[in-house]
Structure formats: structure tokens, C-alpha cells
Amino acid sequence: MAAIRGFKKPREGLWDRASCRSLNAVLRLPPHTIMAADSRKQILRLLSRFGAIILTRFGFWNCFSMLMLFAERADVKRKPDIQVPYLYIDMGVAVLCASFMSFGVKRRWFALVAALQLAISTYASYMGGQVHYGDWLKVRMYSRALAITGGFLVLASGAGEVYRQKPRTRSLQSTGQIFLGIYLICMAYSLQHSQEDRMAFLNHIPGGEIPLQLLSVLYGVLALSFFSGYYIRSAAQVLAILMPLVILFIDGNLGYWYQGRRVEFWNQMKLVGQNVGIFGAVLILATDG
């Protein structure tokens, strides 16, 4: 021990057997084990940063897809979800928050503002009643908007920050996790009661009804984890593996949704972007939960 630089031998009686064993265990760690631990930390840090990049840039894609959707509706003389004067204000606030979050300027504050903006926008769209959707499509649209709101609350809590200078706000993270849990419950509900969603999954899941029921149960179990706050990192890691497959094979099946179920093309692209944003929030929780 005296060979270690800066090490001073303690007085007799200050070291117990447990302390000596733990110090010896650290000193005997092979170099490749220490390097593997450092590499794992770097990978987790990169994944967390990648999730934050996705989530902070979500506002740009959401506004772009909304503009393209309303242009698509203009050809058939359909109204936008929100009245035009308020629509411009809503998009301006969304782009402003996304810009400041992308540059890392007061990210927590602007993430909280983005969550409030998206919640108010979704509420105004739902209560406005200018466009009528099917019940199954309402569940898809509003549950994802709620999950993105939860993702912004997770970001506002301080999760995903590489160099955290302030303590994390646990209440905001817990609220965001509850919103994500509601989204998972809606996914489980859709797999049980929405024929449109059931067919979308059955077209790509081998084995038929049994794997679909297992997937529904899995969504329910993950939702319980998000609601309770237990095993959040493990649940988020499972969801981070599952979501890219859902985005690619289910949401990305544009022919099924656009031609088979008559979902507007840019509305489906907006839903794809929302799921990508949710994936970014899940990555943050999977690596920094």
C-alpha cells in the first residue's frame, strides 16, 4: 500500500477487515475490467445524448409535418385542427422552444414550456372539433401527444444532462413517467379493442393471436413499471428495443395506414415523428433513469 502515491498509512484501529477487503478488491481489478466499465459508461452517455438530440429536435419535425398536413387538407378544403390565428402562435412557440433546447440554452425551462405548449395545443385540438377522427385514431394521436409531453417533462427534470450542475427534479420526472405509462396503457388497449391496430400488428407478427396477446401484456407490465417508479431503467431498456421495430414495421407501413385505413399521409408521418420523439425520451430513461 505504501507504494501508492499519496497514500498515508492510517493509525492502528482505523481499518476494519471489510475496508481492507474492499480496498484489496479494487487494487486487484484487472485493467481490462476497468476499461470495460469506462467503455460502458461512455456508451450509455452517448445513447443518452442521442435521445436528448431526438427529443429536443422533435418540435421542428412536428411543425413541418403539421404544415404539410394542412396543405394536404387545403386541396380538399378541410380545416386544420386549430383555428388559424392560434395555429401560428402555437407553431412559433414550438419552434422557439426547440431552438433553445437544441442549443442547450436553459434546456430545463424551455422543455417545461414545450410540455405546456404541446398540452395546450392537444387540448385545443381535441376541444375545437374542427376535424372528426375515428375513435381508434384519436387514441393513437392523443396518447402519443401525451407521451411526448411526458418526455419533455423528463427532460425538464434534468435527466439526460451530460454534466448536471443542478440536482434532478424528481417530481417532474415522475409526472413524465406517468404520462409515458398512460401511452403504454393506450397501446395495450388498442391491441385488444382496435381492429385497425390489431391488423397492423398481425400482418408482421408470426404466430397470430398468441404473440399479439403477449405483446399486449408486455405493454401493460411496462406501464405498471412507469406508474410505480420501480425498475424504470430496465423497463425503458426493454421499450427502447421494442420501439424501433414498431416504428419501422408498424408505423412505417404507410401503404396500410394511408391506403387501407384512410389516414392522411402527413398525419401518419406526424405520428411516426411522435413515436420517434417518444423513443428519444425512452433512451434517456434507459441510460439515465
Side-chain angles (χ1 to χ4, degrees), residues 80 82-89 130:
I82 307 174
Q83 295 182 2
V84 171
Y86 304 105
L87 177 64
Y88 296 147
I89 298 175
Q130 297 201 113

Side-chain angles (χ1 to χ4, degrees), residues 37-225:
D38 292 339
S39 300
R40 183 176 181 273
K41 289 181 179 179
Q42 291 178 359
I43 292 174
L44 292 178
R45 188 177 299 173
L46 287 175
L47 289 175
S48 179
R49 184 178 298 180
F50 180 62
I53 289 174
I54 293 175
L55 189 56
T56 54
R57 273 71 171 180
F58 164 77
F60 297 126
W61 174 256
N62 195 46
C63 290
F64 174 74
S65 58
M66 286 175 64
L67 286 174
M68 298 301 293
L69 173 61
F70 299 150
E72 182 181 358
R73 289 180 180 175
D75 294 337
V76 294
K77 297 182 180 180
R78 295 185 65 190
K79 296 180 180 180
D81 294 338
I82 307 174
Q83 295 182 2
V84 171
Y86 304 105
L87 177 64
Y88 296 147
I89 298 175
D90 177 70
M91 287 189 175
V93 174
V95 171
L96 183 68
C97 292
S99 300
F100 278 101
M101 286 190 296
S102 299
F103 289 111
V105 179
K106 297 288 184 181
R107 176 174 288 183
R108 295 192 184 190
W109 287 101
F110 282 101
L112 185 59
V113 173
L116 293 175
Q117 171 267 326
L118 186 58
I120 294 173
S121 173
T122 305
Y123 178 78
S125 174
Y126 177 76
M127 296 300 296
Q130 297 201 113
V131 181
H132 298 283
Y133 301 103
D135 291 338
W136 64 272
L137 188 54
K138 286 181 181 179
V139 173
R140 286 173 60 85
M141 293 171 57
Y142 299 134
S143 64
R144 296 187 188 199
L146 190 64
I148 288 290
T149 303
F152 283 139
L153 290 178
V154 170
L155 195 64
S157 70
E161 293 180 354
V162 179
Y163 303 105
R164 189 177 295 116
Q165 298 178 352
K166 297 180 181 179
R168 188 183 310 192
T169 308
R170 294 291 179 179
S171 59
L172 287 176
Q173 180 173 336
S174 299
T175 307
Q177 290 169 184
I178 291 174
F179 286 177
L180 289 166
I182 294 174
Y183 159 76
L184 293 172
I185 287 292
C186 291
M187 288 293 297
Y189 172 85
S190 297
L191 292 180
Q192 293 292 328
H193 300 283
S194 170
Q195 188 64 26
E196 292 80 4
D197 289 274
R198 287 172 56 85
M199 290 303 300
F201 279 86
L202 286 174
N203 291 337
H204 293 90
I205 295 181
E209 189 68 25
I210 294 178
L212 185 66
Q213 296 299 323
L214 293 176
L215 182 62
S216 178
V217 171
L218 176 61
Y219 275 124
V221 172
L222 294 177
L224 290 177
S225 176

